[in-house]
Amino acid sequence: MAEQLGSLARTHTCGALRASDVDARAVLLGWVQKVRDLGQIVFLDMRDRHGITQVIVQDDADLLEKAKRLRSEFVVGIEGVVERRDPETVNTKLPTGEVEVRAATIRVLNEAKTPPFIIGDEQAVSEETRLKYRYLDLRRPALQQNIVLRHRITMALRKYFDEQGFLDVETPILTKSTPEGARDFLVPSRVHPGEFYALPQSPQLFKQILMIAGMDRYVQIARCFRDEALRADRQLEFTQVDIEMSYATPELVFEIVEGALAAAFTEIGVTISRPFRRMGYAEAMAVYGSDKPDLRFDLKIQDVGAHFAESPFGIFREAIEHGGTVRGFVIPGAGGASRREVDEIVELAKQAGAAGLIWARRTADGVQVSAKAIGEPTTAAVLDAMGAGAGDLVVLACGAADATSKMLGQLRLTVAKKRDLIPADRWELLWVTEFPLFEWNADQQRWDSLHHPFTSPREEDLPRLASDPGSVRARAYDVVLNGWELGGGSIRIHDRETQATVFRLLGLSDEQAKLRFGFFLEALEYGTPPHGGLALGLDRIVAMLAGESSIREVIPFPKTTQAVDLMSDAPSTVDVAQLRELRIRTEA
RNA sequence: GGGGUCGUAGUUCAGUUGGUUAGAACGCUGCCCUGUCACGGCAGAGGCCGCGGGUUCGAGUCCCGUCGACCCCGCCA
């Protein structure tokens, strides 16, 4: 039977007591982590989020009997005196290990069922079980540390942006649907039957309007919603550190954002070097096959098409004749790989979408290549050109330049992981710049924004905006850490005319543009300062700094890849009366 | 929408070529134990082998379907 807290007021957390507290009276409130019943002595480990303190129960028969009835995860209050432990009984693994509390009072504030997994244990538990009992998982030290780190990073960022003159402004959660980009989450309006709000995919237009409104520098830790497939680094709802600045240049944004990330890294005791490296989109794609390259390891993609223009190996020669290329990279130390290991790499390439993968390496008496038709002289020349040494393996693929690099970029990542080529504890931050403004949408026969329709073209490319849209580069930039896109942004269009031109290129008629963005286009006409900004993925930043490979580990209540909250069982059906009130009829 | 990995006790896992009564560790329950902290000792309980169908004399094991978790592609202005 549960007892009342009564007059028990906490004097110390379970992580607080030290040798300097000896002889003090202490009241601890927390969970029983473990009971060690030795008969005439009972030890209790008391736990809260601050730590663990050992309590000793001895001599008092009533108290002993009560202590023996305690079980893991009972919530108890202990009142007693702090005692120094004998030197031989000190527990050096605990910060509180020099002392223990000799219990005079034990109050059972609540009992607990046996939990499905042990809270104070490092043993792995399936994510399914952890998500169902998230309140228990959150009690475990690993997740508690992540939540604490998230808090500290959030606080550091708020402090930093405040110091830089940013104003924290809230924007609506119930807003207007703008069907470009990701699928919207819609919220039916009861007052306006048949009409819907949308949850924001980002506060993009609102933050730009805040610049028009004269807020000058804006920051918001903003929840965003996108109804798209979930991944280790993507949830339906996620948190952006959203910023926007009037009179911004890319350099100014870089400086501000680098400072913010430096502040975040300080929370894990890491000093990052600034300014970050810069890389054009074209180089990133060509050399790393990705717009978010992981620079912790090399395996750089090289173009060796020149060696195959007249090759007797038809597949490569024809690829070049059709305007394609031959590219590949060196896998250091894989030269001695067994046939099975090499086949495995070829198989990985197929999974990445390669039609085929040719490999080559040096042997004791020359060179070896998986396509004999290439011939030894060409093979040797390619190995030389790529800088492949005795112990290395070279892999080659052909096709359209972009597709080949992308495929090799994927292979690069899986090979690096599999062969353990990625150094731990390295932080490779970079800016990817000079993105194209548009990409051609073959299905719809029109241009799509690569970033979003409010991104400003580079001034020197402006003359080609109407004549050659594909060649126009954007004033957009992504910040990348170890192969994760941490954030992205741009300098925005701030004049009505350029904005209208871009909408037309995107296939939006003036009427459609007015319907969707009319309020914004009108706002642009009332004296809009040049402005720009960026949004950082807070979940990704925290996950990275926590050393986690999934953002679910830094989100208190995440959803599964099937978009289900296993704890609350959302989504769920609702009462017909609710639907009727909203004038909604379901099909199923 | 597509590809892959996994699903056996509360938990994490093992389970041979298809063969008698499905095991281990931790956890849990009871008893013993005055310095434990991965306490120890003794005894015990605990299984729809995800679910449905099929093949077979016989299925945890083979086949088909389905559900769920995770990873990847597509998707994510």
Side-chain angles (χ1 to χ4, degrees):
Chain A
M1 191 53 207
E3 299 172 81
Q4 297 301 313
L5 192 55
S7 60
L8 275 189
R10 173 155 56 187
T11 60
H12 301 81
T13 68
C14 295
L17 292 172
R18 297 291 183 273
S20 55
D21 297 304
V22 166
D23 292 335
R25 174 185 171 271
V27 174
L28 300 180
L29 302 171
W31 286 272
V32 174
Q33 163 129 326
K34 183 82 184 170
V35 183
R36 285 182 295 279
D37 179 356
L38 276 65
Q40 290 306 302
I41 295 187
V42 173
F43 293 104
L44 305 175
D45 284 341
M46 290 274 294
R47 185 197 69 240
D48 61 22
R49 80 170 163 89
H50 300 95
I52 290 172
T53 300
Q54 175 165 282
V55 172
I56 180 168
V57 185
Q58 201 176 12
D59 299 332
D60 183 325
D62 290 346
L63 217 50
L64 273 168
E65 193 197 336
K66 197 165 190 179
K68 286 167 189 283
R69 286 201 310 267
L70 297 176
R71 294 292 178 269
S72 291
E73 302 313 314
F74 279 25
V75 182
V76 297
I78 300 288
E79 186 267 320
V81 174
V82 181
E83 293 185 353
R84 182 183 297 276
R85 298 202 204 178
D86 289 338
E88 61 271 23
T89 63
V90 164
N91 186 344
T92 51
K93 291 177 203 157
L94 293 179
T96 60
E98 281 187 90
V99 297
E100 60 198 0
V101 175
R102 183 164 296 270
T105 311
I106 298 175
R107 219 165 276 182
V108 180
L109 302 174
N110 221 332
E111 301 190 349
K113 288 166 66 174
T114 301
F117 49 83
I118 304 164
I119 308 300
D121 200 26
E122 296 301 315
Q123 181 167 38
V125 179
S126 79
E127 194 164 359
E128 202 169 349
T129 306
R130 292 175 51 205
L131 287 172
K132 181 172 177 194
Y133 298 97
R134 194 60 165 178
Y135 38 88
L136 297 179
D137 197 24
L138 283 165
R139 238 182 240 171
R140 308 209 313 169
L143 223 35
Q144 293 215 331
Q145 279 165 24
N146 288 354
I147 298 302
V148 169
L149 178 65
R150 186 176 179 122
H151 161 80
R152 296 214 324 260
I153 289 172
T154 305
M155 296 301 280
L157 290 172
R158 285 193 194 282
K159 178 165 174 282
Y160 171 82
F161 282 111
D162 179 52
E163 286 164 359
Q164 298 294 325
F166 283 75
L167 215 52
D168 189 322
V169 185
E170 290 178 84
T171 53
I173 293 293
L174 295 174
T175 177
K176 186 180 170 70
S177 172
T178 54
E180 281 72 28
R183 271 183 287 271
D184 279 328
F185 278 101
L186 297 177
V187 179
S189 164
R190 176 185 55 80
V191 181
H192 302 281
E195 298 184 9
F196 297 83
Y197 303 95
L199 305 182
Q201 296 181 22
S202 89
Q204 184 61 35
L205 290 178
F206 286 98
K207 70 174 174 177
Q208 290 191 239
I209 284 175
L210 286 171
M211 295 303 100
I212 300 174
M215 297 301 155
D216 198 62
R217 287 185 164 195
Y218 145 92
V219 66
Q220 183 182 193
I221 298 191
R223 195 68 65 86
C224 303
F225 305 85
R226 293 178 191 174
D227 187 6
E228 296 292 348
L230 295 90
R231 289 277 202 288
D233 61 348
R234 278 155 45 186
Q235 282 274 305
L236 296 184
E237 47 184 305
F238 60 100
T239 304
Q240 284 188 345
V241 182
D242 195 42
I243 69 171
E244 196 75 8
M245 287 181 274
S246 291
Y247 314 109
T249 58
E251 292 303 322
L252 183 57
V253 175
F254 293 170
E255 196 187 315
I256 291 287
V257 171
E258 288 180 12
L261 289 172
F265 268 91
T266 301
E267 295 299 325
I268 57 162
V270 170
T271 306
I272 52 176
S273 71
R274 294 158 65 184
F276 299 171
R277 187 169 162 184
R278 315 262 171 94
M279 188 183 296
Y281 172 84
E283 183 188 347
M285 291 305 292
V287 179
Y288 299 96
S290 166
D291 60 358
K292 44 180 197 293
D294 189 340
L295 301 184
R296 286 174 299 173
F297 59 98
D298 271 341
L299 271 58
K300 287 182 190 162
I301 298 165
Q302 304 181 50
D303 195 317
V304 290
H307 292 89
F308 295 99
E310 288 165 21
S311 173
F313 185 52
I315 297 171
F316 279 5
R317 189 188 64 244
E318 282 161 26
I320 288 165
E321 283 165 3
H322 291 97
T325 186
V326 177
R327 288 182 180 178
F329 58 86
V330 180
I331 308 174
S338 67
R339 188 56 202 246
R340 223 189 89 246
E341 289 172 294
V342 174
D343 285 346
E344 202 178 18
I345 292 171
V346 174
E347 185 52 39
L348 289 174
K350 282 184 183 152
Q351 281 167 23
L357 191 77
I358 303 300
W359 54 265
R361 60 182 163 195
R362 296 179 194 282
T363 59
D365 47 340
V367 298
Q368 183 190 15
V369 62
S370 61
K372 299 281 181 293
I374 291 174
E376 293 196 3
T378 306
T379 303
V382 168
L383 288 170
D384 281 345
M386 295 179 74
D392 302 336
L393 183 77
V394 155
V395 293
L396 298 171
C398 68
D402 268 16
T404 304
S405 272
K406 266 190 194 170
M407 184 280 290
L408 288 169
Q410 271 185 48
L411 183 63
R412 178 180 175 268
L413 289 176
T414 46
V415 165
K417 264 177 220 150
K418 202 143 234 164
R419 299 193 61 84
D420 214 16
L421 299 175
I422 306 178
D425 296 332
R426 272 187 70 177
W427 305 102
E428 291 291 341
L429 284 147
L430 82 153
W431 289 103
V432 177
T433 61
E434 293 177 31
F435 285 87
L437 188 60
F438 302 110
E439 59 185 346
W440 181 246
N441 182 331
D443 292 343
Q444 305 282 324
Q445 287 293 300
R446 59 144 208 258
W447 296 98
D448 281 346
S449 291
L450 194 70
H451 187 50
H452 60 54
F454 315 104
T455 303
S456 168
R458 285 166 65 107
E459 277 166 49
E460 61 266 42
D461 293 353
L462 258 178
R464 296 195 307 278
L465 187 54
S467 57
D468 185 10
S471 76
V472 176
R473 288 163 299 171
R475 284 206 278 174
Y477 31 79
D478 280 357
V479 60
V480 174
L481 168 60
N482 294 356
W484 272 26
E485 180 192 325
L486 287 192
S490 62
I491 304 301
R492 327 296 184 186
I493 295 168
H494 67 277
D495 70 285
R496 178 76 166 80
E497 269 323 298
T498 310
Q499 190 65 74
T501 308
V502 167
F503 279 149
R504 277 194 290 271
L505 283 163
L506 296 174
L508 274 179
S509 70
D510 290 356
E511 291 73 34
Q512 288 170 311
K514 200 174 165 191
L515 207 62
R516 289 180 192 173
F517 305 111
F519 67 104
F520 179 67
L521 291 172
E522 190 176 4
L524 279 179
E525 297 182 293
Y526 284 94
T528 301
H531 61 283
L534 168 141
L536 293 166
L538 182 65
D539 312 284
R540 290 182 185 175
I541 292 172
V542 178
M544 276 286 186
L545 298 196
E548 299 286 0
S549 53
S550 164
I551 62 172
R552 292 188 299 273
E553 299 299 329
V554 299
I555 295 174
F557 303 104
K559 289 171 185 63
T560 67
T561 53
Q562 291 305 304
V564 171
D565 177 346
L566 290 179
M567 185 184 74
S568 72
D569 210 26
S572 58
T573 53
V574 295
D575 201 289
V576 238
Q578 272 182 293
L579 290 177
R580 206 175 298 133
E581 194 168 44
L582 296 166
R583 316 275 185 96
I584 286 176
R585 208 172 295 145
T586 54
E587 274 184 7

